[in-house]
Structure formats: C-alpha cells, structure tokens
Amino acid sequence: MMLISFASSILRRAVALRYPLNCKECVNKVEKVKFSSVTTRTIHDVNTNVIKDVILFKYENPKFYRYMNIFALVQYMFWTYLGIFAFSSLRDAPVDSSMITEDTPWFRKINLGENKYRNTLGIVAIVVGTGSLTMIWMYTLRSVRYLILNKGGKHITFVTYTPFGQNRMMTVPLENMCCKEKRTMATVQLPIKVKNKTMHYMLDMRGEFKNPILFDSTAGLFRKL
C-alpha cells in the first residue's frame, strides 16, 4: 500500500509539472498580448496629423516610361507620314475592268487614288498616330511616381511622370480625392479619383507602399466626390 501511495504521488507531481493548473491562464495572457499587439494598429488608431511630409507610395521605373514615350513618338511620326503621303502622293488611277479576272488580288481591284479611299486612308493614319501618342502621354501623366502626405495630414501631393522625363507635382486636399479600390484587393493598379480631373491617377502595384496603414487612413479611403 505504501508503495502504491508513493507511486501515485510521483505520478501526480509529474502530471502537475507537465500540465500546470494555471497553464490555461498563461495561454490566455499570451493570446491577449498577441491579439492586442496586432489589432492596435488600425486606421482608427493612426495619427494622420504628421509633423513632416511622409512618402506613402513610391514607384521608381523611369526607363519604362521613357521607352514607352519614345515608341509613341516613333509611331506618331510613322502614321503622320503615311497620312501625308496618302493625301499628296496617291494618284487617281482608274482600274481597267477588262484586265480584272478571278485570280486578280483584291487590292488591284481598288483605285486607292480615288477621293474616298485617299481621304479615308489619310484621315485614319493621322487619327491613329495622334490618338496613340495622346493616350500614352495621358497614361504617363496619370502614373504616380510618389504619393506624399503633406505636413499636417490635410493635403496629398501627387508626383507623376511626364513624357520628357521630368516630374509633375500637384497638391490636393484629402477631401477632394477618392480611392476606388482597397489597397489589399488591387492586383495590377490602384485607381485614385481626384475631383475635377477627367482621368484617374494610377498607382502601380509593383511599387512600394512605404506606410500602408497611414495610406489606408488618408489617401486610401473611399470618399463621395
């Protein structure tokens, strides 16, 4: 009996060491500490009244925009030359119907010098060249290089790329801008609408959000404009 009692006391001590009575309390304390350290930094806890300018977003890729605008200029010159050539060099050469057979290619059946074809070709070429250049330039001017929260936290400065490699800056109040999508949901680009501007400003998601929570608390909010 004494041996059994001694063995049972040893077993109880071993169990107590392996599973202490207050282990549940310890686990709860650790979980509370972890939970509090994660959840205290929300957009409601961030002080947006910054004492100096803070970079919220940064995307450095000047070579891409330089090459894209060079391509746009080359395309513009090509299509403009094609349009001028169509207006000035195409001559009216009526097609001899007696020479047309079933094997004659379709382009030999058309008189490109006829007014309707010459004018259409020239106008289309100039529109394509000018349109492609305009679209690429507008895309460049709306691509954000830096997004800066100004001192005091009431204004945002957009620093965008330009077709000729310089920076373009624009400062707007926070209430005049609206983020169209959540930062965590965007995959390719994050659009931001600015009041009285026709196109959205685009944040490339390959860039770096220097202060994500501060961004979500200021520029990343959805506002009705």
Side-chain angles (χ1 to χ4, degrees):
M1 293 294 294
M2 292 181 62
L3 183 60
I4 295 175
S5 177
F6 178 78
S8 61
S9 63
I10 294 296
L11 182 60
R12 284 195 299 270
R13 290 182 181 180
V15 172
L17 291 174
R18 181 65 178 88
Y19 303 102
L21 294 178
N22 59 346
C23 63
K24 186 175 181 180
E25 297 178 359
C26 295
V27 172
N28 291 336
K29 289 181 180 179
V30 172
E31 289 178 350
K32 288 181 180 179
V33 171
K34 290 183 178 180
F35 180 79
S36 62
S37 64
V38 173
T39 57
T40 52
R41 294 289 292 175
T42 64
I43 61 174
H44 303 289
D45 301 321
V46 176
N47 182 15
T48 60
N49 187 14
V50 293
I51 60 175
K52 62 179 181 179
D53 293 351
V54 178
I55 297 177
L56 301 179
F57 173 81
K58 174 182 177 182
Y59 179 56
E60 284 286 354
N61 196 4
K63 288 185 178 180
F64 169 75
Y65 294 98
R66 185 183 304 117
Y67 294 151
M68 184 172 61
N69 282 276
I70 291 174
F71 171 78
L73 286 173
V74 172
Q75 289 293 307
Y76 173 74
M77 291 186 291
F78 168 77
W79 288 104
T80 302
Y81 171 78
L82 182 62
I84 294 174
F85 176 82
F87 284 122
S88 61
S89 300
L90 291 179
R91 295 291 182 264
D92 188 10
V95 179
D96 188 356
S97 59
S98 62
M99 301 296 294
I100 298 176
T101 63
E102 294 181 356
D103 298 332
T104 303
W106 65 269
F107 57 87
R108 291 188 180 277
K109 300 177 183 179
I110 300 176
N111 178 15
L112 293 177
E114 192 176 352
N115 286 336
K116 63 178 181 179
Y117 293 115
R118 182 177 67 247
N119 295 336
T120 300
L121 181 59
I123 292 173
V124 168
I126 292 177
V127 168
V128 170
T130 306
S132 62
L133 179 65
T134 302
M135 289 178 62
I136 291 178
W137 275 17
M138 291 302 295
Y139 175 77
T140 302
L141 291 171
R142 290 295 187 269
S143 297
V144 178
R145 188 171 189 172
Y146 296 98
L147 194 65
I148 303 172
L149 179 63
N150 297 148
K151 180 181 178 180
K154 299 297 183 182
H155 293 79
I156 291 285
T157 296
F158 289 83
V159 181
T160 62
Y161 289 94
T162 60
F164 301 103
Q166 303 297 321
N167 290 332
R168 185 183 184 187
M169 301 179 64
M170 180 187 69
T171 301
V172 298
L174 275 175
E175 59 268 17
N176 289 347
M177 56 184 297
C178 170
C179 189
K180 293 294 185 176
E181 191 176 356
K182 289 185 178 180
R183 174 182 57 84
T184 55
M185 300 295 292
T187 55
V188 180
Q189 290 182 327
L190 182 63
I192 294 180
K193 174 65 177 177
V194 177
K195 190 176 182 179
N196 298 327
K197 297 295 182 180
T198 56
M199 297 178 63
H200 291 76
Y201 286 83
M202 309 304 296
L203 275 61
D204 198 303
M205 295 306 293
R206 292 174 295 182
E208 179 183 2
F209 289 89
K210 307 294 289 186
N211 197 325
I213 298 181
L214 186 58
F215 172 86
D216 295 339
S217 306
T218 53
L221 293 176
F222 178 83
R223 300 177 179 87
K224 290 185 178 181
L225 301 179

